[in-house]
Amino acid sequence: MHALWNALVKASADRLAIMGLISAGHVVLGVALAAGAPLPAFESWGYIAASTIIHFGYYFLLYHSYRLGDLSHVYPIARGMAPVLVALGAQVFVGESLPPLAWLGVLITSGGIFMLSGNIFSGKTPPLVVLTAMATGLMIASYSLVDGLGVRVSGTERGYIGWLFIAEIIVAGIMFKRLGRGIKTISRKTILMGLLGGLISAIAYGLVIYAKSFSPLAMVSTLRETSVVFAAIIGLLWLGERPWKLRIVASGIVASGVVLMTLATA
């Protein structure tokens, strides 16, 4: 699901509009989740606010990353950084230490993910694409840690996820304001793709937050980033991106890293 909504953004001719609509889709699902759910504990509202701000930075950087580079370059760079950064952050801020074999699995998975982006450091990929994608990865790791901590003190996974998504109405409002009068020219196809992408994105991240409420943050983050394998397949079959052989090899490395990590924590 995560790879699919990123592909929708990359494939769209009007990325700012579709990202605003994705945020609006989050709000719709958020209202549905929050209805009837207990309010999150007071301690968790600071995390919701922080996550909302970080998500705005994430969308801003993701928009510019896809404007400058290919899905198959940007997505693996951004996602490849997250498992290691989240594992380090979880160890420092939460005290969640992984055994050595699990750390090896995390590093192998991240290495395989980076491979999917091709020769990004050979000079062929514009440095600005690499920098924006890496900054996007930092945002991913940041909101992953914040939401992992927030949901654990909320007392209600459904309530936390719901109100986190409702708060994205601020992000959607800023994006639509940026569009200005151009909002009147958004095609019906873009509206449908954006709202569909928003629902898919919200369900995907809602599942991630729920998993963080009872599982080690580094484990959840690493497993989540295996979405790059699906992104590589989408980039190959839908967007016509190449080369394909590297994607097969790198996907196998990602899978082996996940197997190691799982065995280490079984």
Side-chain angles (χ1 to χ4, degrees):
M1 287 190 289
H2 196 278
L4 181 57
W5 81 258
N6 274 259
L8 289 173
V9 173
K10 176 59 183 176
S12 173
D14 193 349
R15 296 192 186 100
L16 184 60
I18 205 167
M19 293 190 78
L21 289 162
I22 283 172
S23 291
H26 284 195
V27 176
V28 172
L29 186 60
V31 171
L33 288 171
L39 278 175
F42 176 78
E43 294 84 357
S44 68
W45 286 96
Y47 291 102
I48 290 175
S51 180
T52 301
I53 294 169
I54 296 168
H55 268 88
F56 177 74
Y58 164 67
Y59 288 132
F60 175 83
L61 290 166
L62 190 67
Y63 165 76
H64 287 288
S65 295
Y66 286 148
R67 183 176 62 85
L68 297 168
D70 289 343
L71 174 71
S72 56
H73 286 167
V74 170
Y75 194 81
I77 297 172
R79 311 311 302 192
M81 293 180 60
V84 175
L85 291 177
V86 171
L88 288 171
Q91 187 161 328
V92 172
F93 296 109
V94 191
E96 290 183 357
S97 298
L98 294 177
L101 189 59
W103 261 110
L104 180 61
V106 171
L107 292 172
I108 289 174
T109 300
S110 286
I113 292 170
F114 268 108
M115 279 186 65
L116 283 165
S117 63
N119 298 320
I120 56 171
F121 299 112
S122 65
K124 296 180 181 179
T125 303
L128 188 57
V129 174
V130 177
L131 288 174
T132 54
M134 291 180 73
T136 304
L138 182 60
M139 293 295 104
I140 293 166
S142 298
Y143 72 63
S144 295
L145 284 170
V146 167
D147 286 330
L149 295 171
V151 73
R152 292 181 180 184
V153 299
S154 68
T156 165
E157 294 89 352
R158 181 178 164 187
Y160 182 90
I161 296 167
W163 282 101
L164 175 67
F165 289 161
I166 290 172
E168 281 206 40
I169 196 170
I170 300 169
V171 178
I174 292 172
M175 290 184 181
F176 288 139
K177 185 178 180 181
R178 183 79 182 270
L179 281 168
R181 294 183 179 178
I183 197 170
K184 297 179 181 179
T185 62
I186 300 174
S187 68
R188 182 177 296 180
K189 180 181 177 182
T190 299
I191 292 173
L192 291 174
M193 286 180 65
L195 292 176
L196 175 63
L199 290 173
I200 294 171
S201 170
I203 293 170
Y205 193 53
L207 291 170
V208 168
I209 296 176
Y210 176 70
K212 288 177 183 176
S213 68
F214 58 84
S215 300
L217 301 184
M219 289 281 291
V220 177
S221 178
T222 303
L223 289 168
R224 180 192 185 199
E225 304 316 342
T226 56
S227 61
V228 296
V229 176
F230 300 103
I233 295 170
I234 291 171
L236 179 68
L237 299 179
W238 182 12
L239 303 178
E241 297 174 355
R242 296 292 186 272
W244 65 270
K245 292 181 180 178
L246 178 64
R247 287 169 169 75
I248 300 299
V249 173
S251 297
I253 292 173
V254 170
S256 66
V258 169
V259 169
L260 275 177
M261 184 186 67
T262 307
L263 289 174
T265 53

